[in-house]
Amino acid sequence: VDLIASVVAAPGPPTPAKRKPTKKTKKAVVFFEVEILDAKTKDKLCFLDKVGKVLPSFSLHWYPARQSIRLDPKGKSLKDEDVLQHLPVGTTATFYFRDLGAQISWVTVFLTEYAGPLLIYLMFYFRVPFIYAPKYDFTTSKHWVVHLACMCHSFHYVKRLLETLFVHRFSHGTMPLRNIFKNCTYYWGFAAWMAYYINHPLYTPPIYGEQQIRLALTVFLFCQIGNFSIHIALRNLRPPGSKTRKIPYPTKNPFTWIFLLVSCPNYTYELGSWLGFTLMTQCLPVAFFTLVGFIQMTVWAKGKHRSYLKEFRDYPTLRSPILPFIL
Amino acid sequence: MASGEEDGTVEEKETNNKKRTKGTIATAWLTFYNIAMTAGWLVLAVAMVRYYLQKGTHKGLYRNIAKTLKFFQTFALLEVGHCAIGIVRTSVIVTGVQVCSRIFMVWFVTNSIRQIQNEESVILFVVVWTITEITRYSFYTFNLLNHLPYFIKWARYNMFIVMYPLGVIGELLTIHASLPYVRRSGMYSLRLPNKYNVSFDYYYFLIIVMLSYIPLFPQLYFHMLRQRRRVLHGEIVVEKDE
């Protein structure tokens, strides 16, 4: 994007920033001068003199969700709620602009990336034509664990869809558009790979039979309930429409007591669910999916843990990011 | 009694000395490594020329140099380690991908599928690799000795323009030639049913490898072209933003 060429509703030619004396009237009103520079090239994009309290969204080309305005070119973006008067700037404020690229809402991404696995798995479960040999079209597996696995997998993604619609409170409205392609490839690809083997006519059920399946199902359900409990607890930390951040603590629900030992128990329970599913299906692609998911969630958990520690002086020291005492 | 401040500067000097010794050891090792690799690939080049002059044909040439090729190409795995511990400032991933693709060609294609070892495409990529590696390792060696003749620098940043595509053609033709033998023998493959509920078909895997050259080769090629512009012409190239 050629930022220099396609800017802006600039009110006038850029003038070098200089201190303007505040007008002395009965009510002393402080006006700010604001200049906005491109974060990469440091070119002056926009100069606004006599800005009141609120910084207007200055460009016609980039909707607000795409704009990142910051005090430091490499720093964090300012939030929509930030007020110019309360920022650490003089009467001449210099901001740096960065185009975040096309954006898409988190809700849209979540719904798309979760609906895919739900439907794809069912296609393999019902043995839709062109997947397996024609003589198996629309047949069902003779192993009851395959039916159980389908129920668990479907339940998991239905739960995720409902949570996206009714439970989660998102800090950011949007993410970069290219994420939806990346995320959907990951979720949909793995779902197809797992579902192909679990629903295959030549599927081999777990070695230890009923015992293994029963244990796996218990672990899976336990962790699903746990994961849901954590999501509810996190939702209740945040009043509707707000973006406040607080330290989560154990509640009356025993499934939340894990907060004593872990910063991101939602990821812990998620790992547990997939370990249960791996055990239930005894399928290497599922194990692989669990491993990759675990690595990603650990990265996220460590980041979240670090930001908790940075933001709250009194953050409980006993907690680990994702695995109690270990990781 | 030494004051606290004095202790501090003594410690600092010790850490700086340690850093300097580590740096010297690293340079010494890298110099040895690059000289050894240059020598190794030179030996390979000489062996190939001698064989062809003596026998007049390329048939049996691969078998003749196979041990030396496998040894020196596998040894290059160390380069990933060099990047990982930081004594060479290149991305671990880029080096990893390059070395792994070489290892894959040598061990999992040419070495294991004997029927294709007399193909012309094998000679093509082995010759290309030899020329490229001799240039590359001598470039690194002279760099470490702080005495880089311009023609080595020129060779390193210009020969790839022709060598790289030729090497890719050689590799792709070789993999393609191996496909019927892989299919017939079912090598490196796992069929259903099995207790892990997974399957692997080496034949289709090789086809996917061939297809992966399409996105990967241009990226690496243009990366080298950018490097070339920067080194030879001092252009400032703005990298694509993440």
Side-chain angles (χ1 to χ4, degrees):
Chain A
V1 176
D2 190 348
L3 283 166
I4 301 123
S6 55
V7 161
V8 144
T15 55
K18 54 182 189 269
R19 268 186 172 278
K20 269 202 176 157
T22 52
K23 288 187 169 176
K24 281 203 160 68
T25 56
K26 274 201 185 152
K27 267 200 220 156
V29 181
V30 178
F31 286 99
F32 290 93
E33 277 180 355
V34 169
E35 59 171 7
I36 302 188
L37 310 178
D38 180 281
K40 266 185 280 177
T41 64
K42 309 290 192 303
D43 291 317
K44 210 176 288 221
L45 299 175
C46 175
F47 186 83
L48 306 157
D49 56 353
K50 281 224 208 140
V51 175
K53 279 196 213 156
V54 174
L55 187 68
S57 166
F58 69 101
S59 167
L60 305 164
H61 287 260
W62 297 284
Y63 42 88
R66 263 179 97 139
Q67 299 171 18
S68 164
I69 311 275
R70 22 178 105 162
L71 287 171
D72 176 71
K74 299 227 168 93
K76 289 187 70 173
S77 293
L78 297 177
K79 303 205 222 344
D80 292 338
E81 309 84 53
D82 286 334
V83 173
L84 190 55
Q85 260 187 328
H86 300 152
L87 293 173
V89 293
T91 37
T92 303
T94 303
F95 294 110
Y96 294 91
F97 166 81
R98 208 185 169 94
D99 175 20
L100 296 173
Q103 297 284 300
I104 185 169
S105 83
W106 272 63
V107 174
T108 311
V109 175
F110 271 36
L111 291 179
T112 323
E113 69 189 15
Y114 296 156
L118 182 64
L119 298 169
I120 291 172
Y121 193 102
L122 288 172
M123 280 172 50
F124 284 88
Y125 174 75
F126 287 115
R127 295 192 181 151
V128 148
F130 301 110
I131 300 178
Y132 305 113
K135 67 176 175 182
Y136 296 113
D137 288 349
F138 297 117
T139 55
T140 46
S141 174
K142 59 181 182 222
H143 308 288
W144 66 275
V145 68
V146 172
H147 308 300
L148 182 64
C150 182
M151 287 189 272
C152 289
H153 188 271
S154 306
F155 170 77
H156 179 81
Y157 281 103
V158 168
K159 169 180 158 293
R160 284 215 203 181
L161 286 166
L162 294 175
E163 283 173 342
T164 306
L165 290 170
F166 302 115
V167 177
H168 295 314
R169 293 213 167 106
F170 295 98
S171 321
H172 306 279
T174 65
M175 63 167 88
L177 182 65
R178 78 179 97 88
N179 277 14
I180 195 173
F181 301 108
K182 200 167 41 109
N183 293 9
C184 284
T185 309
Y186 172 78
Y187 277 103
W188 297 15
F190 262 115
W193 194 37
M194 295 192 287
Y196 176 78
Y197 289 108
I198 300 172
N199 298 294
H200 201 282
L202 296 176
Y203 171 76
T204 311
I207 311 183
Y208 297 107
E210 268 216 41
Q211 277 183 316
Q212 185 173 338
I213 300 170
R214 204 166 288 152
L215 172 65
L217 182 62
T218 316
V219 169
F220 178 81
L221 287 175
F222 183 89
C223 291
Q224 289 290 281
I225 300 173
N227 179 266
F228 181 70
S229 309
I230 302 299
H231 287 158
I232 295 289
L234 290 172
R235 168 199 171 83
N236 292 337
L237 279 184
R238 183 177 272 181
S242 87
K243 293 180 184 176
T244 53
R245 270 193 308 278
K246 302 209 292 249
I247 305 179
Y249 283 108
T251 67
K252 289 201 201 82
N253 183 343
F255 286 96
T256 63
W257 295 351
I258 192 176
F259 268 123
L260 291 167
L261 299 174
V262 164
S263 290
C264 302
N266 48 321
Y267 294 143
T268 319
Y269 280 123
E270 184 69 17
L271 171 66
S273 302
W274 285 105
L275 284 174
F277 193 69
T278 309
L279 194 65
M280 192 192 300
T281 56
Q282 199 174 290
C283 178
L284 201 60
V286 181
F288 207 68
F289 179 65
T290 309
L291 178 66
V292 176
F294 172 57
I295 294 173
Q296 175 65 87
M297 288 191 289
T298 304
V299 170
W300 288 337
K302 286 193 159 189
K304 189 94 197 135
H305 185 77
R306 223 176 298 132
S307 58
Y308 275 145
L309 288 173
K310 238 199 277 185
E311 188 165 349
F312 304 110
R313 294 274 123 193
D314 56 340
Y315 194 72
T317 46
L318 191 60
R319 296 189 189 184
S320 315
I322 186 172
L323 295 179
F325 308 116
I326 307 173
L327 200 54
Chain B
M1 281 295 286
S3 75
E5 237 188 312
E6 271 180 20
D7 278 344
T9 37
V10 167
E11 271 172 35
E12 222 183 277
K13 275 208 189 124
E14 277 181 12
T15 354
N16 277 341
N17 271 333
K18 269 199 212 140
K19 278 194 199 148
R20 237 176 289 137
T21 6
K22 276 201 193 131
T24 341
I25 297 179
T27 315
W29 161 251
L30 284 174
T31 316
F32 164 75
Y33 173 80
N34 284 305
I35 293 178
M37 294 301 265
T38 314
W41 286 91
L42 272 168
V43 162
L44 209 59
V46 167
M48 289 198 286
V49 171
R50 279 184 65 197
Y51 185 94
Y52 190 78
L53 289 177
Q54 279 177 355
K55 302 284 171 85
T57 171
H58 68 276
K59 306 248 185 258
L61 187 147
Y62 178 81
R63 279 238 68 86
N64 188 271
I65 55 142
K67 273 212 181 77
T68 322
L69 175 67
K70 282 189 280 191
F71 179 79
F72 284 101
Q73 188 58 80
T74 313
F75 213 69
L77 277 170
L78 280 179
E79 287 169 48
V80 185
H82 295 162
C83 297
I85 61 177
I87 56 179
V88 172
R89 284 170 48 78
T90 319
S91 149
V92 176
I93 300 180
V94 172
T95 316
V97 167
Q98 288 175 334
V99 174
C100 281
S101 76
R102 290 290 188 86
I103 302 274
F104 174 75
M105 269 318 293
V106 170
W107 287 100
F108 292 100
V109 180
T110 326
N111 184 56
S112 21
I113 308 165
R114 306 195 65 177
Q115 298 94 325
I116 50 135
Q117 285 171 0
N118 285 324
E119 294 279 325
E120 287 80 3
S121 51
V122 172
I123 307 301
L124 176 58
F125 77 75
V126 173
V127 165
V128 164
W129 287 7
T130 310
I131 298 174
T132 311
E133 297 301 69
I134 294 174
T135 318
R136 185 165 75 94
Y137 286 118
S138 47
F139 173 83
Y140 292 148
T141 310
F142 284 115
N143 237 0
L144 285 161
L145 297 172
N146 286 317
H147 189 89
L148 182 65
Y150 184 74
F151 87 92
I152 300 270
K153 184 171 167 179
W154 184 95
R156 159 131 173 93
Y157 285 105
N158 280 300
M159 308 231 343
F160 80 90
I161 297 177
V162 169
M163 292 290 130
Y164 215 164
L166 281 181
V168 166
I169 291 172
E171 292 169 31
L172 285 176
L173 284 175
T174 309
I175 301 177
H176 184 261
S178 73
L179 288 178
Y181 303 107
V182 169
R183 183 150 227 187
R184 219 177 302 147
S185 69
M187 66 191 299
Y188 297 151
S189 301
L190 183 61
R191 294 261 137 80
L192 287 177
N194 62 74
K195 65 180 173 187
Y196 304 107
N197 288 309
V198 71
S199 65
F200 181 74
D201 194 337
Y202 194 51
Y203 176 80
Y204 289 111
F205 178 72
L206 285 177
I207 293 181
I208 294 174
V209 166
M210 288 176 71
L211 290 174
S212 72
Y213 274 72
I214 301 176
L216 290 177
F217 166 69
Q219 286 191 45
L220 290 170
Y221 194 61
F222 288 121
H223 173 75
M224 284 299 292
L225 282 173
R226 277 195 301 264
Q227 296 269 71
R228 175 179 178 273
R229 254 182 286 152
R230 189 170 50 84
V231 171
L232 293 183
H233 301 303
E235 273 181 39
I236 303 169
V237 184
V238 178
E239 289 289 318
K240 202 156 54 113
D241 228 348
E242 289 283 77

